[in-house]
Amino acid sequence: MRNYVGAVQRFAFERLAAAIDRRWNNDPLGSRIRASKEEYLRLFEIARRVEYPEIDRLEADTGFAIDREWLDNLALHTQITIKKSTLAYPHGRVLYSLLRRELASNPRPFTTIVETGTARGFSSLCMAKALDDAGAAGHVITLDVLSHNHRFYWNCIDDHDGRKSRAELLQPWQSLSDRMVFLQGDSLVQLPKVGVNRIHFAFIDAQHTTKNVLLEYRAVSELQQAGDVIVFDDVTPGQFDGVVKAIEQIEKQGQYGMRRLVASDTRAYAWGTRRR
């Protein structure tokens, strides 16, 4: 009887998850083009000129820096949007540098990376580029409620070409996106289904509540071993206090050696290396 009840509950939960996924397939980011090409280009010029001395120091410390022209071009198509908060994309530099250092320090036959919160695919591509530049075998498993194959407006400059799927949006970087595995659904539903035995590197960037960050962290940490790395986006007091509180709790547990990087008043990150 208990097995039957459990099966019914799982079935009901999966049906609900599927219904939630379907609602994200109908223009979830808006049903119209949000701005002119000129406006997106203007915002891009502002964002790309911002300097981040702390990230410069991180790159010097790790010995690895992403190609800035490549990064800027990717950001124009995947990070420049119409929104109230400040536009910035320094996390691409942070992820690339940390992952390249991890790959150099811990060479292995295959590296598994997991990301929660794909959005338009910017972060995933930066990590895929790190794998590619290092000549390392591996893949990026990335989770998001937004479908990879449904066409809609993305609130970016490419909207002027018409509705696109994420696969079409990322077509110019096809050789790198071939290293990526896209899973649609709530990260807390999908994380237990990724089907890997170990996660060597992870990027947590989905829902920014304390509860969700901690749940995603626990799901990832269960599949990590000594030396593996987990990175957190938006650890910014006053803006994402839920993320900040989650990091404080994780640090107190002592399982990871945590470091923080404050790139600006609106951009801060944290990462931890598994101790045991």
Side-chain angles (χ1 to χ4, degrees), residues 217-229:
Y217 156 76
R218 288 165 188 159
V220 168
S221 64
E222 288 178 358
L223 295 174
Q224 290 199 309
Q225 300 176 22
D228 294 339
V229 176

Side-chain angles (χ1 to χ4, degrees), residues 63-263:
F64 297 104
I66 196 167
D67 181 278
R68 293 293 291 276
E69 184 177 351
W70 182 92
L71 182 75
D72 288 342
N73 182 51
L74 175 64
L76 172 60
H77 296 276
T78 61
Q79 284 289 289
I80 303 303
T81 63
I82 304 301
K83 61 179 183 178
K84 294 180 180 180
S85 57
T86 304
L87 290 175
Y89 47 93
H91 57 292
R93 296 172 61 187
V94 172
L95 289 170
Y96 181 90
S97 294
L98 292 177
L99 181 52
R100 283 297 307 274
R101 179 171 63 181
E102 201 277 335
L103 292 168
S105 302
N106 300 292
R108 58 180 69 89
F110 195 89
T111 296
T112 295
I113 301 163
V114 169
E115 173 192 42
T116 63
T118 314
R120 298 165 191 82
F122 173 80
S123 302
S124 296
L125 277 173
C126 290
M127 292 186 286
K129 181 169 176 58
L131 284 171
D132 200 61
D133 288 353
H139 59 195
V140 181
I141 302 172
T142 181
L143 292 66
D144 201 285
V145 293
L146 299 179
S147 169
H148 188 57
N149 295 306
H150 283 262
R151 291 175 173 169
F152 41 78
Y153 290 126
W154 288 92
N155 181 17
C156 69
I157 196 169
D158 283 52
D159 289 347
H160 287 273
D161 298 329
R163 287 180 172 86
K164 291 184 178 182
S165 66
R166 186 191 291 112
E168 292 169 329
L169 183 67
L170 302 184
Q171 184 62 40
W173 301 273
Q174 183 64 53
S175 62
L176 291 177
S177 62
D178 285 345
R179 285 179 172 265
M180 296 152 62
V181 179
F182 298 90
L183 299 179
Q184 184 187 6
D186 186 287
S187 58
L188 298 179
V189 176
Q190 296 297 333
L191 271 173
K193 301 179 182 179
V194 294
V196 298
N197 296 321
R198 183 174 178 182
I199 298 173
H200 301 99
F201 191 94
F203 181 45
I204 302 299
D205 188 27
Q207 297 186 52
H208 284 25
T209 67
T210 302
K211 178 181 178 181
N212 275 74
V213 172
L214 287 174
L215 288 173
E216 291 181 6
Y217 156 76
R218 288 165 188 159
V220 168
S221 64
E222 288 178 358
L223 295 174
Q224 290 199 309
Q225 300 176 22
D228 294 339
V229 176
I230 185 168
V231 184
F232 300 87
D233 196 14
D234 294 323
V235 190
T236 314
Q239 286 198 324
F240 300 102
D241 291 327
V243 182
V244 175
K245 291 178 182 177
I247 299 305
E248 291 172 351
Q249 293 185 36
I250 291 168
E251 191 167 25
K252 288 178 182 178
Q253 294 172 12
Q255 199 171 30
Y256 287 75
M258 300 297 298
R259 289 190 59 186
R260 290 174 173 78
L261 186 153
V262 178

